[in-house]
Amino acid sequence: MEASDGGEPLAAPIPDDRAADPDSAAPELGRLNRDYSIPGVDPGDSDPYRWHTGRKRDHGGEDSIEVIDLVKQFGKTRIINGLNLGLPEDQVSMVLGPSGTGKSVLIKLIVGLLYPDAGDILVHGESVPSMTDDELFDMRKKFGLLFQDGALFGSMNIYDNTAFPLRQHTDKSEDEISEICNQRLAEVGLAEAHYKMPNELSGGMRKRAGFARALVLDPAIVFFDEPDSGLDPVRTALLCELIREIHEEHGGCYMVISHDLATARRIADFIAVLWKGRIVESGPSEELFDSPNDFVRQFLNAEVVGPLAMD
């Protein structure tokens, strides 16, 4: 379906040679279609990265997270293939892309739950894959993570769920823990829900409780794995407003994984578009929504005609 509205073929951007070569990131790991495959890449496609300029538009600040030539493969299926990305400090960044392109895998690689087959990840200048277990444990204290369903412990009430990271990772007294938990639960609108169990909450309330728990260690970086998943449009808008308000108050690097365009328009300062295991283009959100790149324009405007087809 690579045709314009008038039926003419789309004009692909001209990437640099390195961005266009599927095997440039880790040639020692083999060749595409011989030693590995990439979801969404047709074996007959000789130029799968013709839309990937790899361009990163200037966001005017420093990067909290740098991803460099990252490769991750499961068996013979390569999910991440030479991914390069910088996520800015003190901004809400969104990684957008079609389903199955490696967005959730990227989070797991950044936090050290998975190890890359090649490449590097720097968090505040420190290499995550090179860390010892103890160093990795300490680094994760910088992180907050909101999972798709909140990932609350079903046997604990909301207060104890929120207090869990503080009890596990700090020496704070119960009075100090109570003060922090009360503050965070109030911030997310759950001040009256301390003793409710997760199964007594709506989906939106569980996500807000998970958000409160993600904030109790005052993380420098917060990850959101499809926070809008399973929510109706109104509750999605309310959650987006909450994320925006909390970020404006506390700052830090927020990384949101999603494919919801309404969420992107509401909260994103910076957008990276991921497809076929690589970043197509990244930069300030207002610039990405006006990008001349045919794939970026198609995806961010939900257009039917463009490089992305149903298959």
Coordinates of all heavy atoms in Angstrom, one line a residue, residues 68-147:
I68 N 22.2 3.2 22.3 CA 23.2 3.3 21.2 C 23.3 1.9 20.5 O 23.7 0.9 21.1 CB 24.5 3.7 21.8 CG1 24.4 5.0 22.6 CG2 25.6 3.8 20.7 CD1 25.6 5.2 23.5
D69 N 22.9 1.9 19.2 CA 23.1 0.8 18.4 C 22.5 -0.5 19.0 O 23.1 -1.6 18.9 CB 24.5 0.6 18.0 CG 25.0 1.7 17.1 OD1 24.2 2.3 16.4 OD2 26.3 1.9 17.1
L70 N 21.4 -0.4 19.7 CA 20.9 -1.5 20.5 C 20.3 -2.7 19.6 O 19.6 -2.4 18.6 CB 19.8 -1.0 21.4 CG 19.4 -1.9 22.6 CD1 20.6 -2.0 23.6 CD2 18.2 -1.4 23.3
V71 N 20.6 -3.9 20.0 CA 20.1 -5.1 19.3 C 19.6 -6.1 20.3 O 20.3 -6.4 21.3 CB 21.2 -5.8 18.4 CG1 20.7 -7.1 17.8 CG2 21.7 -4.8 17.3
K72 N 18.4 -6.6 20.2 CA 17.9 -7.7 21.0 C 17.1 -8.7 20.2 O 16.2 -8.3 19.4 CB 16.9 -7.1 22.1 CG 16.4 -8.2 23.0 CD 17.5 -8.9 23.8 CE 17.1 -10.0 24.6 NZ 18.2 -10.8 25.2
Q73 N 17.5 -9.9 20.3 CA 17.0 -11.0 19.5 C 16.5 -12.1 20.4 O 17.1 -12.5 21.5 CB 18.1 -11.5 18.6 CG 17.7 -12.4 17.5 CD 18.8 -12.6 16.4 OE1 19.3 -11.6 16.0 NE2 19.1 -13.8 16.1
F74 N 15.4 -12.7 20.1 CA 14.9 -13.9 20.8 C 14.8 -15.1 19.8 O 14.0 -15.1 18.8 CB 13.5 -13.7 21.3 CG 13.4 -12.5 22.3 CD1 13.1 -11.2 21.9 CD2 13.7 -12.7 23.7 CE1 13.0 -10.2 22.8 CE2 13.6 -11.7 24.6 CZ 13.3 -10.4 24.2
G75 N 15.7 -16.0 20.0 CA 15.9 -17.1 19.0 C 16.4 -16.4 17.7 O 17.4 -15.7 17.6
K76 N 15.6 -16.7 16.6 CA 16.0 -16.1 15.3 C 15.1 -14.9 15.0 O 15.1 -14.4 13.8 CB 15.8 -17.1 14.2 CG 16.9 -18.2 14.2 CD 17.0 -19.0 13.0 CE 18.2 -19.9 12.9 NZ 18.4 -20.6 11.6
T77 N 14.3 -14.4 16.0 CA 13.5 -13.2 15.8 C 14.1 -12.0 16.4 O 14.3 -12.0 17.7 CB 12.1 -13.4 16.4 OG1 11.5 -14.6 15.8 CG2 11.2 -12.2 16.1
R78 N 14.5 -11.0 15.6 CA 15.2 -9.8 16.1 C 14.1 -8.7 16.3 O 13.5 -8.3 15.4 CB 16.3 -9.3 15.2 CG 17.1 -8.2 15.8 CD 18.3 -7.9 14.9 NE 19.2 -9.0 15.0 CZ 20.5 -8.9 14.4 NH1 20.8 -7.8 13.8 NH2 21.3 -9.9 14.4
I79 N 13.9 -8.3 17.6 CA 12.9 -7.3 17.9 C 13.4 -5.9 17.9 O 12.8 -5.0 17.4 CB 12.3 -7.6 19.4 CG1 11.8 -9.0 19.4 CG2 11.2 -6.6 19.7 CD1 10.7 -9.4 18.5
I80 N 14.7 -5.7 18.4 CA 15.3 -4.4 18.3 C 16.6 -4.6 17.4 O 17.4 -5.5 17.6 CB 15.8 -4.0 19.7 CG1 14.6 -3.9 20.7 CG2 16.5 -2.7 19.7 CD1 13.6 -2.8 20.4
N81 N 16.7 -3.7 16.5 CA 17.8 -3.9 15.5 C 18.5 -2.6 15.2 O 18.1 -1.8 14.3 CB 17.2 -4.5 14.2 CG 18.3 -4.8 13.2 OD1 19.4 -5.3 13.6 ND2 18.0 -4.6 11.9
G82 N 19.5 -2.3 16.0 CA 20.3 -1.0 15.7 C 19.5 0.2 16.1 O 19.6 1.2 15.5
L83 N 18.9 0.2 17.3 CA 18.0 1.3 17.7 C 18.9 2.3 18.4 O 19.7 2.0 19.3 CB 17.0 0.8 18.7 CG 15.9 1.8 19.1 CD1 14.6 1.0 19.4 CD2 16.3 2.6 20.3
N84 N 18.7 3.6 18.0 CA 19.4 4.7 18.6 C 18.4 5.7 19.0 O 17.5 6.1 18.3 CB 20.4 5.4 17.6 CG 21.6 4.5 17.3 OD1 22.5 4.5 18.1 ND2 21.6 3.8 16.2
L85 N 18.5 6.2 20.3 CA 17.5 7.1 20.9 C 18.1 7.8 22.1 O 18.8 7.2 22.8 CB 16.3 6.3 21.3 CG 15.1 7.0 22.0 CD1 14.5 8.0 21.1 CD2 14.1 6.0 22.5
G86 N 17.7 9.1 22.2 CA 18.0 9.8 23.4 C 16.7 10.4 24.0 O 15.9 11.0 23.2
L87 N 16.5 10.2 25.3 CA 15.3 10.7 25.9 C 15.7 11.9 26.8 O 16.5 11.7 27.7 CB 14.6 9.6 26.7 CG 14.1 8.4 25.9 CD1 13.5 7.3 26.8 CD2 13.1 8.9 24.9
P88 N 15.1 13.0 26.6 CA 15.5 14.2 27.3 C 15.1 14.3 28.8 O 14.1 13.8 29.2 CB 14.8 15.4 26.5 CG 13.7 14.7 25.8 CD 14.0 13.3 25.6
E89 N 15.9 15.0 29.5 CA 15.7 15.2 30.9 C 14.5 16.2 31.1 O 14.4 17.1 30.2 CB 17.0 15.8 31.6 CG 16.8 16.2 33.0 CD 16.6 15.0 33.9 OE1 17.2 13.9 33.7 OE2 15.8 15.1 34.9
D90 N 13.7 16.1 32.1 CA 12.7 17.0 32.5 C 11.6 17.2 31.4 O 11.1 18.3 31.2 CB 13.3 18.4 32.9 CG 13.8 18.3 34.3 OD1 13.3 17.6 35.1 OD2 14.8 19.0 34.6
Q91 N 11.4 16.1 30.6 CA 10.3 16.2 29.6 C 9.6 14.9 29.6 O 10.1 13.8 30.1 CB 10.9 16.4 28.2 CG 11.5 17.8 28.0 CD 11.9 18.0 26.5 OE1 11.2 17.6 25.6 NE2 12.9 18.8 26.3
V92 N 8.3 14.9 29.1 CA 7.5 13.7 29.0 C 7.7 13.2 27.5 O 7.4 13.9 26.6 CB 6.0 14.0 29.2 CG1 5.2 12.7 28.9 CG2 5.8 14.5 30.6
S93 N 8.4 12.1 27.4 CA 8.7 11.5 26.1 C 7.8 10.3 25.8 O 7.4 9.6 26.7 CB 10.2 11.0 26.0 OG 11.1 12.1 26.2
M94 N 7.4 10.2 24.6 CA 6.5 9.1 24.2 C 7.2 8.3 23.1 O 7.7 8.9 22.1 CB 5.1 9.5 23.7 CG 4.2 10.0 24.8 SD 2.5 10.1 24.3 CE 2.1 8.3 24.2
V95 N 7.3 7.0 23.2 CA 7.7 6.1 22.1 C 6.5 5.5 21.5 O 5.8 4.7 22.2 CB 8.7 5.0 22.7 CG1 9.1 4.1 21.5 CG2 9.9 5.7 23.3
L96 N 6.2 5.9 20.3 CA 5.0 5.4 19.6 C 5.4 4.5 18.5 O 6.5 4.6 17.9 CB 4.3 6.6 19.0 CG 3.6 7.6 20.0 CD1 3.4 8.9 19.3 CD2 2.3 7.0 20.4
G97 N 4.5 3.6 18.1 CA 4.7 2.7 17.0 C 3.7 1.6 16.9 O 2.9 1.4 17.8
P98 N 3.6 1.0 15.8 CA 2.7 -0.1 15.6 C 2.9 -1.2 16.7 O 3.9 -1.3 17.3 CB 3.0 -0.7 14.2 CG 3.7 0.4 13.5 CD 4.5 1.2 14.6
S99 N 1.8 -2.0 16.9 CA 1.9 -3.1 17.8 C 3.0 -4.1 17.4 O 3.2 -4.3 16.2 CB 0.6 -3.9 17.9 OG -0.4 -3.0 18.3
G100 N 3.7 -4.7 18.4 CA 4.7 -5.7 18.1 C 6.0 -5.2 17.6 O 6.8 -5.9 17.0
T101 N 6.3 -3.9 17.8 CA 7.6 -3.3 17.2 C 8.7 -3.2 18.3 O 9.7 -2.7 18.0 CB 7.3 -1.9 16.6 OG1 6.7 -1.1 17.6 CG2 6.5 -2.0 15.4
G102 N 8.4 -3.7 19.5 CA 9.5 -3.7 20.5 C 9.4 -2.6 21.6 O 10.4 -2.4 22.3
K103 N 8.3 -2.0 21.7 CA 8.2 -0.8 22.7 C 8.4 -1.3 24.1 O 9.2 -0.7 24.9 CB 6.9 -0.1 22.5 CG 6.7 0.5 21.1 CD 5.4 1.4 21.0 CE 4.1 0.6 21.2 NZ 3.9 -0.4 20.1
S104 N 7.7 -2.4 24.5 CA 7.8 -2.9 25.9 C 9.1 -3.5 26.1 O 9.7 -3.5 27.2 CB 6.6 -3.9 26.2 OG 5.4 -3.2 26.1
V105 N 9.7 -4.2 25.1 CA 11.0 -4.8 25.2 C 12.0 -3.7 25.5 O 13.0 -3.9 26.2 CB 11.4 -5.6 23.9 CG1 12.8 -6.0 23.9 CG2 10.5 -6.8 23.8
L106 N 11.9 -2.6 24.8 CA 12.8 -1.4 25.1 C 12.8 -1.0 26.5 O 13.9 -0.8 27.1 CB 12.4 -0.3 24.2 CG 13.3 1.0 24.3 CD1 14.7 0.7 24.0 CD2 12.7 2.1 23.4
I107 N 11.7 -0.9 27.2 CA 11.7 -0.6 28.6 C 12.4 -1.6 29.4 O 13.3 -1.3 30.3 CB 10.2 -0.5 29.1 CG1 9.6 0.8 28.7 CG2 10.2 -0.5 30.7 CD1 8.2 1.1 29.2
K108 N 12.2 -2.9 29.1 CA 12.9 -4.0 29.9 C 14.4 -3.9 29.7 O 15.1 -4.3 30.6 CB 12.3 -5.3 29.5 CG 10.8 -5.5 29.9 CD 10.3 -6.9 29.3 CE 8.8 -7.0 29.7 NZ 8.2 -8.3 29.2
L109 N 14.8 -3.5 28.5 CA 16.3 -3.4 28.3 C 16.8 -2.2 29.1 O 17.9 -2.3 29.7 CB 16.5 -3.2 26.8 CG 16.3 -4.5 25.9 CD1 16.2 -4.1 24.5 CD2 17.5 -5.4 26.1
I110 N 16.1 -1.1 29.1 CA 16.6 0.1 29.8 C 16.7 -0.2 31.3 O 17.7 0.2 31.9 CB 15.7 1.3 29.5 CG1 15.8 1.7 28.0 CG2 16.1 2.5 30.4 CD1 14.8 2.8 27.6
V111 N 15.8 -0.9 31.9 CA 15.8 -1.1 33.3 C 16.6 -2.3 33.7 O 16.8 -2.6 34.9 CB 14.4 -1.2 33.9 CG1 13.6 0.0 33.6 CG2 13.7 -2.5 33.4
G112 N 17.2 -3.0 32.7 CA 18.1 -4.2 33.0 C 17.4 -5.5 33.3 O 18.0 -6.4 33.8
L113 N 16.1 -5.6 32.9 CA 15.4 -6.9 33.0 C 15.8 -7.8 31.9 O 15.6 -9.0 32.0 CB 13.9 -6.7 33.1 CG 13.3 -5.9 34.3 CD1 11.8 -5.7 34.1 CD2 13.6 -6.7 35.6
L114 N 16.2 -7.2 30.8 CA 16.7 -8.0 29.7 C 18.1 -7.4 29.3 O 18.4 -6.2 29.6 CB 15.8 -7.9 28.4 CG 14.5 -8.5 28.5 CD1 13.7 -8.1 27.2 CD2 14.6 -10.0 28.6
Y115 N 19.0 -8.2 28.8 CA 20.3 -7.8 28.4 C 20.4 -7.7 26.8 O 19.9 -8.7 26.2 CB 21.4 -8.6 28.9 CG 21.7 -8.4 30.4 CD1 20.9 -9.0 31.4 CD2 22.7 -7.5 30.8 CE1 21.1 -8.7 32.7 CE2 22.9 -7.2 32.1 CZ 22.1 -7.8 33.1 OH 22.3 -7.5 34.4
P116 N 21.0 -6.7 26.3 CA 21.1 -6.6 24.8 C 22.1 -7.6 24.2 O 23.0 -8.0 24.9 CB 21.5 -5.2 24.5 CG 22.3 -4.8 25.8 CD 21.6 -5.5 26.9
D117 N 21.9 -8.0 23.0 CA 22.8 -8.8 22.3 C 24.0 -7.9 21.7 O 25.1 -8.5 21.4 CB 22.2 -9.6 21.1 CG 21.1 -10.6 21.7 OD1 21.5 -11.4 22.5 OD2 19.9 -10.5 21.3
A118 N 23.7 -6.7 21.5 CA 24.7 -5.7 21.1 C 24.3 -4.3 21.4 O 23.1 -4.1 21.7 CB 25.0 -5.9 19.6
G119 N 25.2 -3.4 21.4 CA 24.9 -2.0 21.7 C 25.0 -1.7 23.2 O 25.4 -2.5 24.0
D120 N 24.5 -0.4 23.5 CA 24.7 0.0 24.9 C 23.5 0.9 25.3 O 22.8 1.4 24.4 CB 26.0 0.8 25.1 CG 26.5 0.9 26.5 OD1 25.8 0.3 27.4 OD2 27.5 1.5 26.7
I121 N 23.3 1.0 26.6 CA 22.2 1.9 27.2 C 22.9 2.7 28.3 O 23.4 2.1 29.2 CB 21.0 1.1 27.7 CG1 20.4 0.2 26.6 CG2 20.0 2.0 28.3 CD1 19.6 -1.0 27.2
L122 N 22.8 4.0 28.2 CA 23.4 4.9 29.2 C 22.3 5.6 30.0 O 21.4 6.2 29.4 CB 24.3 5.9 28.6 CG 25.5 5.4 27.8 CD1 26.3 6.6 27.2 CD2 26.4 4.5 28.5
V123 N 22.3 5.4 31.3 CA 21.3 6.2 32.2 C 22.1 7.1 33.0 O 23.0 6.7 33.8 CB 20.5 5.2 33.1 CG1 19.7 6.0 34.0 CG2 19.6 4.3 32.2
H124 N 21.9 8.4 32.8 CA 22.7 9.5 33.4 C 24.2 9.2 33.2 O 25.0 9.3 34.1 CB 22.4 9.6 34.9 CG 21.0 10.1 35.1 ND1 20.3 9.8 36.2 CD2 20.2 10.8 34.4 CE1 19.1 10.3 36.2 NE2 19.0 11.0 35.0
G125 N 24.6 8.7 32.0 CA 26.0 8.5 31.6 C 26.5 7.1 32.0 O 27.7 6.9 31.7
E126 N 25.8 6.3 32.7 CA 26.3 5.0 33.2 C 25.7 3.9 32.3 O 24.5 3.8 32.0 CB 25.9 4.8 34.6 CG 26.6 5.8 35.6 CD 26.2 5.5 37.0 OE1 26.7 4.5 37.6 OE2 25.4 6.2 37.7
S127 N 26.6 2.9 31.9 CA 26.2 1.8 31.1 C 25.4 0.8 31.9 O 26.0 0.2 32.8 CB 27.4 1.2 30.4 OG 27.1 0.0 29.7
V128 N 24.2 0.6 31.5 CA 23.3 -0.4 32.2 C 23.8 -1.8 31.9 O 24.0 -2.6 32.9 CB 21.9 -0.3 31.8 CG1 21.0 -1.4 32.4 CG2 21.3 1.1 32.2
P129 N 24.1 -2.3 30.7 CA 24.6 -3.7 30.5 C 25.9 -4.0 31.2 O 26.2 -5.2 31.5 CB 24.7 -3.8 29.0 CG 23.9 -2.7 28.4 CD 24.0 -1.6 29.4
S130 N 26.7 -3.0 31.5 CA 28.0 -3.2 32.2 C 27.9 -3.3 33.7 O 28.9 -3.5 34.3 CB 29.0 -2.1 31.7 OG 29.1 -2.1 30.3
M131 N 26.8 -3.0 34.2 CA 26.6 -2.9 35.7 C 26.7 -4.3 36.3 O 26.2 -5.3 35.8 CB 25.3 -2.2 36.1 CG 25.3 -0.8 35.8 SD 23.8 0.0 36.3 CE 24.1 1.7 35.8
T132 N 27.2 -4.4 37.6 CA 27.1 -5.6 38.4 C 25.7 -5.7 38.9 O 24.9 -4.7 38.8 CB 28.1 -5.5 39.5 OG1 27.7 -4.4 40.4 CG2 29.5 -5.3 39.1
D133 N 25.3 -6.8 39.5 CA 24.0 -6.9 40.1 C 23.7 -5.9 41.2 O 22.6 -5.3 41.2 CB 23.8 -8.3 40.7 CG 23.7 -9.4 39.6 OD1 23.5 -9.1 38.4 OD2 23.8 -10.6 39.9
D134 N 24.7 -5.6 42.0 CA 24.5 -4.6 43.1 C 24.4 -3.2 42.5 O 23.5 -2.4 42.9 CB 25.7 -4.6 44.0 CG 25.8 -5.9 44.9 OD1 24.7 -6.5 45.0 OD2 26.8 -6.2 45.5
E135 N 25.1 -2.9 41.4 CA 25.0 -1.6 40.8 C 23.6 -1.4 40.1 O 23.0 -0.4 40.2 CB 26.1 -1.4 39.8 CG 27.5 -1.2 40.4 CD 28.6 -1.3 39.4 OE1 28.4 -1.9 38.3 OE2 29.7 -0.8 39.7
L136 N 23.2 -2.5 39.5 CA 21.9 -2.5 38.8 C 20.8 -2.3 39.9 O 19.8 -1.6 39.6 CB 21.7 -3.8 38.1 CG 20.6 -3.9 37.1 CD1 20.7 -2.8 36.0 CD2 20.6 -5.3 36.4
F137 N 20.9 -3.0 41.0 CA 19.9 -2.8 42.1 C 19.8 -1.4 42.5 O 18.7 -0.8 42.7 CB 20.3 -3.8 43.2 CG 19.3 -3.8 44.4 CD1 18.1 -4.5 44.3 CD2 19.5 -3.0 45.5 CE1 17.2 -4.6 45.3 CE2 18.6 -3.0 46.6 CZ 17.5 -3.8 46.5
D138 N 21.0 -0.8 42.7 CA 21.0 0.6 43.2 C 20.4 1.6 42.1 O 19.7 2.5 42.4 CB 22.4 1.1 43.5 CG 22.9 0.5 44.8 OD1 22.0 0.1 45.7 OD2 24.1 0.4 45.0
M139 N 20.8 1.3 40.8 CA 20.3 2.2 39.8 C 18.8 2.1 39.7 O 18.1 3.1 39.4 CB 20.9 1.8 38.4 CG 20.5 2.7 37.3 SD 20.7 1.9 35.7 CE 19.4 0.6 35.8
R140 N 18.2 0.9 39.9 CA 16.7 0.8 39.8 C 16.0 1.6 40.8 O 14.8 1.9 40.6 CB 16.3 -0.7 39.9 CG 16.7 -1.5 38.6 CD 16.4 -2.9 38.8 NE 16.7 -3.7 37.6 CZ 17.0 -5.0 37.6 NH1 17.0 -5.7 38.8 NH2 17.3 -5.6 36.5
K141 N 16.7 2.1 41.8 CA 16.0 3.0 42.8 C 15.7 4.3 42.2 O 14.9 5.1 42.7 CB 16.9 3.1 44.0 CG 17.0 1.8 44.8 CD 18.0 2.0 46.0 CE 18.2 0.7 46.7 NZ 19.2 0.8 47.8
K142 N 16.4 4.6 41.0 CA 16.1 5.9 40.3 C 14.8 5.8 39.5 O 14.3 6.8 39.0 CB 17.2 6.2 39.3 CG 18.6 6.5 39.9 CD 19.6 6.8 38.8 CE 20.9 7.1 39.3 NZ 21.9 7.4 38.2
F143 N 14.3 4.6 39.3 CA 13.2 4.3 38.4 C 11.9 4.2 39.1 O 11.8 3.6 40.2 CB 13.4 3.0 37.6 CG 14.6 3.0 36.7 CD1 15.3 1.9 36.4 CD2 15.1 4.2 36.2 CE1 16.4 1.9 35.5 CE2 16.3 4.2 35.4 CZ 16.9 3.1 35.0
G144 N 10.8 4.6 38.5 CA 9.4 4.3 38.8 C 8.8 3.6 37.6 O 9.2 4.0 36.5
L145 N 8.0 2.6 37.8 CA 7.4 1.9 36.6 C 5.9 1.7 36.8 O 5.5 1.1 37.8 CB 8.2 0.6 36.4 CG 7.7 -0.3 35.2 CD1 7.7 0.5 33.9 CD2 8.6 -1.5 35.2
L146 N 5.1 2.2 35.9 CA 3.7 1.9 35.9 C 3.4 0.9 34.8 O 3.5 1.2 33.6 CB 2.9 3.2 35.7 CG 1.4 3.0 35.6 CD1 0.8 2.4 36.9 CD2 0.7 4.4 35.3
F147 N 3.0 -0.3 35.2 CA 2.6 -1.3 34.3 C 1.2 -1.1 33.7 O 0.5 -0.3 34.2 CB 2.7 -2.7 35.0 CG 4.1 -3.1 35.5 CD1 4.4 -2.7 36.8 CD2 5.0 -3.7 34.7 CE1 5.7 -3.1 37.3 CE2 6.2 -4.1 35.2 CZ 6.6 -3.7 36.5

